[in-house]
Amino acid sequence: MASTPFDEANFRTWLTERLARHLKREPSAIDADTPLADYGLDSLYALAIVDEIENYLGIAIDATIMWDYPSVSALSSALATKLAIS
């Protein structure tokens, strides 16, 4: 995906689906502005999701990104900014 422009809306959908799968919830139950910790996302799941994000985007990201930007909205916006600068 790294060769195509980052589409924040598509990424949010993709991320929401991944989170829902890890949390054993429906994607519609994940609110983009709710802190992921409120859903019970622990560090092991967060690291697994970071790995999936890296594979999806084809870039390396800091493992702490899930804590620095703790919601789907915050994480999507941060990655959009990072990729615009790169």
Side-chain angles (χ1 to χ4, degrees):
M1 179 173 169
S3 62
T4 60
F6 182 74
D7 183 320
E8 190 173 345
N10 284 342
F11 178 76
R12 282 179 192 229
T13 299
W14 177 87
L15 181 58
T16 299
E17 290 169 355
R18 293 306 173 281
L19 290 167
R21 186 185 74 214
H22 283 283
L23 297 170
K24 296 178 177 40
R25 298 175 184 239
E26 291 296 318
S28 61
I30 307 295
D31 178 74
D33 295 314
T34 297
L36 299 175
D38 289 2
Y39 292 112
L41 188 73
D42 65 20
S43 59
L44 290 177
Y45 283 130
L47 290 174
I49 292 168
V50 166
D51 185 55
E52 290 183 45
I53 292 169
E54 288 180 328
N55 290 331
Y56 180 74
L57 296 177
I59 62 168
I61 56 174
D62 193 323
T64 62
I65 197 165
M66 298 289 288
W67 290 272
D68 295 337
Y69 305 98
S71 70
V72 171
S73 292
L75 184 55
S76 298
S77 295
L79 286 170
T81 300
K82 175 181 174 59
L83 292 170
I85 294 170
S86 298

